[in-house]
Amino acid sequence: MDLDAVTKQSALHAKPDGLTLQYGTAGFRTKAEHLDHVMFRMGLLAVLRSKQTKSIIGVMVTASHNPEEDNGVKLVDPLGEMLAASWEEHATSLANAEEQHLPRVLVDISEKAAVDLHQDAFVVIGRDTRPSSEKLSQSVIDGVTVLGGQFHDYGLLTTPQLHYMVFCRNSKGQYGKATAEGYYQKLSSAFVELTKQAFCSGDDHRTLKVDCANGIGALKLAEMKHYFSQGLSVQLFNDGTKGKLNHLCGADFVKSHQKPPQGIEMKANERCCSFDGDADRIVYYYRDADGRFHLIDGDKIATLISGFLKELLLEIGDGLSLGVVQTAYANGSSTRYLEEVMKVPVYCTKTGVKHLHHKAQEFDIGVYFEANGHGTVLFSKAAETKIKQLAKESEDEKRKAAKMLESVIDLFNQTIGDAISDMLVIEAILALKGLTVQQWDALYTDLPNRQLKVKVADRQVISTTDAERQVVKPPGLQEAINDLVKKYRLSRAFVRPSGTEDIVRVYAEADSQENTDSLAYEVSLAVFQLAGGIGERPQRGF
């Protein structure tokens, strides 16, 4: 490791004084102008991680659903997963090291992680369409090359595509071909195979309007759509030709504002969906005949998919376990419907994709979606082998169900949530079951819910347990919440500290919006009084 060369090169990517950043589930994210040194250093870290794992590592330059002025970076581990937690700590210490300490921190990481510095390193890089991404991507390359790593720059990719590329390369092509073309072919052929038996009345059922958030999803879907055009016609909106990335559009905007994006024309009962800026989240929606907007979020996506999988598993009858993983933010109606109507076991984890992903790996088939539309389905190796065997050997009905499951395995990007892959699975299921978007929406009715924030002097005064659904401290707060919840029908509420700022997030749901809003206000007041609230007291009517 040539530390003199690193020091020299690092001076060209100098760290601003006093800037401290934390590597979280989403990697690093902040204003683009503060990230040059971080990108260079993540190039360095990717080389060390590659040497340590003796595998190819990915670096993705994106800030997902954040505004266009922001940017960010995350590393992708060998099987296409998120970076291991212990290396998140290394990423944080490396990004925050002052210039003069950088060589020492690199040596520390190498020693702590037992990195063989003589091992070769290879890094693959992707970026989104932000104006700042190309230059920041070059800073990553500078970091990779100064430590003697080799690299392949894929240029513009969705985040899930980069995860796919990493897994393909490390599986020596067994998972798929590590090119954009390979990705398009793998997903499209699985979609065409799965929908072969779909009964469809009229073309309108198979047309989908897609809001691409003026992001990378538009470029990639435009390249891909002719591969599956016989089975599905997609019309692209907010394709980046005029609007700003994520501005008044995209999955996060639609979910948080509960209204359609700008730049898309919606007729009554037309199926529409929105991607986020790097195409790893998706939500669906439509307007009814009265012009009312209906959002179909990650909870309903998980319900549709797990119901379909359960039917196929009953058909093959081979005792494979199916589980759905949610967070405390999942609507109570979805949990009740899954458990009581569909008889599918539901498990709750702490907020954050890595917790959901980890829990989903405990099942033969694990389904997880956050309410924001980020999610996927994971198949264990044993389940894959079993399904492929049944698809070859079984009798007619069983073989047909196993072949459909085989296509579902190929359709899901099993490394991470992928808006394109999720969209194709949803469209295939709706076609096969002959469901309209309204029928899907009518599976169950969401309970009204409200989310609020309370400013506190120190968020660390609150600690939680039971997947963030119960408060352990401060004393008396959970008892106060329990008493408030008892006042309303079908109600629940929980509070949790933010991971990044001194605020406490409050979630409430009940049988009516009026009761939900009252409960949310009352719980916010309890937090303010018992957990050191600062600033203005919570008000009714928000």
Side-chain angles (χ1 to χ4, degrees):
M1 191 157 58
D2 185 345
L3 295 176
D4 287 343
V6 170
T7 302
K8 230 177 255 177
Q9 189 69 35
S10 183
L12 304 175
H13 302 279
K15 174 183 176 292
D17 283 342
L19 181 67
T20 306
L21 295 168
Q22 176 83 30
Y23 192 105
T25 303
F28 290 113
R29 277 190 205 166
T30 189
K31 291 276 175 272
E33 62 265 27
H34 300 321
L35 281 168
D36 180 48
H37 72 292
V38 174
M39 297 295 173
F40 171 72
R41 294 172 184 203
M42 289 309 99
L44 302 174
L45 191 73
V47 169
L48 295 184
R49 182 65 172 154
S50 177
K51 287 174 183 284
Q52 193 234 11
T53 57
K54 300 180 173 56
S55 303
I56 291 160
I57 295 296
V59 179
M60 184 70 201
V61 177
T62 182
S64 188
H65 55 276
N66 281 35
E68 190 170 271
E69 310 76 63
D70 291 357
N71 218 318
V73 60
K74 47 188 168 187
L75 270 64
V76 179
D77 257 0
L79 300 180
E81 333 96 308
M82 288 172 288
L83 184 64
S86 58
W87 279 73
E88 288 185 5
E89 291 172 28
H90 296 326
T92 300
S93 63
L94 191 60
N96 293 326
E98 296 306 333
E99 284 296 323
Q100 67 272 26
H101 301 141
L102 185 63
R104 179 72 247 158
V105 173
L106 278 173
V107 171
D108 282 351
I109 293 169
S110 303
E111 288 172 356
K112 273 185 198 158
V115 176
D116 175 2
L117 294 171
H118 301 294
Q119 177 71 33
D120 288 340
F122 199 99
V123 177
V124 294
I125 300 154
R127 67 175 191 269
D128 70 10
T129 54
R130 292 164 196 273
S132 59
S133 289
E134 190 169 3
K135 185 171 179 296
L136 291 174
S137 201
Q138 185 54 53
S139 302
V140 174
I141 291 168
D142 290 350
V144 172
T145 52
V146 77
L147 277 189
Q150 292 182 289
F151 70 93
H152 177 81
D153 182 8
Y154 277 103
L156 293 165
L157 285 182
T158 69
T159 295
Q161 282 180 319
L162 184 75
H163 284 253
Y164 166 88
M165 302 303 174
V166 172
F167 193 17
C168 287
R169 281 173 172 261
N170 284 314
S171 68
K172 304 288 184 279
Q174 279 186 301
Y175 185 65
K177 204 170 158 196
T179 62
E181 178 93 351
Y183 171 90
Y184 300 148
Q185 283 175 339
K186 180 178 181 179
L187 267 61
S188 301
S189 55
F191 173 76
V192 170
E193 183 63 33
L194 186 56
T195 52
K196 273 200 307 207
Q197 301 149 60
F199 169 75
C200 182
S201 54
D203 290 336
D204 60 321
H205 187 62
R206 308 303 295 281
T207 300
L208 177 67
K209 291 186 167 178
V210 186
D211 155 35
C212 297
N214 290 314
I216 183 66
L219 299 184
K220 298 304 165 184
L221 201 48
E223 289 173 6
M224 183 180 183
K225 63 182 187 175
H226 71 270
Y227 285 87
F228 54 75
S229 56
Q230 283 180 307
L232 175 68
S233 165
V234 291
Q235 297 173 4
L236 309 187
F237 296 85
N238 297 318
D239 63 358
T241 49
K242 35 185 192 293
K244 269 178 83 172
L245 177 70
N246 295 323
H247 182 60
L248 304 176
C249 60
D252 198 57
F253 172 84
V254 173
K255 169 72 178 151
S256 53
H257 291 83
Q258 304 271 317
K259 65 181 186 184
Q262 282 193 3
I264 192 168
E265 291 170 27
M266 291 172 66
K267 295 189 187 129
N269 298 322
E270 275 186 331
R271 260 185 355 278
C272 305
C273 70
S274 284
F275 293 178
D276 69 337
D278 65 341
D280 67 356
R281 292 184 187 185
I282 185 171
V283 294
Y284 270 69
Y285 46 92
Y286 68 99
R287 278 198 198 283
D288 63 22
D290 299 326
R292 213 159 62 87
F293 176 77
H294 295 256
L295 175 70
I296 300 177
D297 65 7
D299 296 340
K300 272 208 172 125
I301 292 172
T303 305
L304 178 77
I305 292 169
S306 48
F308 178 68
L309 292 172
K310 177 152 192 204
E311 285 171 18
L312 294 179
L313 288 175
L314 287 171
E315 197 69 60
I316 66 170
D318 218 83
L320 293 173
S321 64
L322 171 68
V324 176
V325 188
Q326 298 182 326
T327 70
Y329 286 103
N331 195 278
S333 288
S334 75
T335 313
R336 267 190 286 276
Y337 182 82
L338 283 162
E339 289 182 330
E340 294 168 17
V341 179
M342 287 174 46
K343 310 291 184 205
V344 173
V346 179
Y347 299 84
C348 189
T349 71
K350 287 168 72 172
T351 306
V353 176
K354 61 185 172 189
H355 301 298
L356 290 150
H357 195 91
H358 185 67
K359 185 69 183 174
Q361 288 173 318
E362 294 178 16
F363 306 96
D364 291 320
I365 303 173
V367 180
Y368 75 83
F369 275 84
E370 292 182 289
N372 64 25
H374 186 284
T376 190
V377 176
L378 304 179
F379 290 80
S380 70
K381 242 338 166 228
E384 267 192 56
T385 306
K386 187 63 154 168
I387 288 163
K388 286 182 175 166
Q389 190 185 341
L390 288 167
K392 281 193 194 119
E393 299 166 6
S394 315
E395 291 156 25
D396 284 357
E397 285 308 306
K398 202 183 245 197
R399 186 168 71 237
K400 187 172 145 189
K403 282 186 97 57
M404 288 170 89
L405 278 168
E406 205 174 16
S407 295
V408 173
I409 291 169
D410 284 341
L411 249 181
F412 272 111
N413 185 340
Q414 291 188 55
T415 61
I416 188 181
D418 181 340
I420 294 175
S421 149
D422 293 342
M423 175 193 82
L424 291 174
V425 173
I426 291 162
E427 290 301 315
I429 295 171
L430 293 176
L432 285 161
K433 295 176 78 67
L435 284 175
T436 63
V437 68
Q438 306 92 301
Q439 288 168 322
W440 174 19
D441 188 30
L443 287 176
Y444 62 83
T445 304
D446 277 331
L447 284 168
N449 58 83
R450 176 70 65 196
Q451 294 184 43
L452 298 176
K453 298 175 193 172
V454 180
K455 279 189 181 174
V456 292
D458 178 10
R459 67 182 183 275
Q460 291 178 349
V461 302
I462 290 205
S463 66
T464 64
T465 186
D466 186 26
E468 303 175 312
R469 292 176 292 187
Q470 296 281 316
V471 175
V472 178
K473 61 173 198 180
L477 180 54
Q478 187 57 51
E479 290 75 9
I481 293 169
N482 293 345
D483 290 342
L484 292 168
V485 164
K486 282 177 197 160
K487 292 166 56 178
Y488 303 99
R489 277 190 69 245
L490 298 175
S491 63
R492 69 184 181 102
F494 66 90
V495 304
R496 53 180 286 270
S498 161
T500 53
E501 50 191 323
D502 284 321
I503 59 170
V504 175
R505 301 186 188 280
V506 174
Y507 179 93
E509 58 183 45
D511 61 338
S512 70
Q513 193 64 58
E514 188 183 353
N515 286 344
T516 298
D517 290 347
S518 289
L519 177 58
Y521 157 71
E522 289 163 355
V523 171
S524 297
L525 202 54
V527 169
F528 190 86
Q529 289 164 342
L530 297 171
I534 57 171
E536 198 180 336
R537 288 165 70 86
Q539 303 291 318
R540 277 193 192 277
F542 322 117

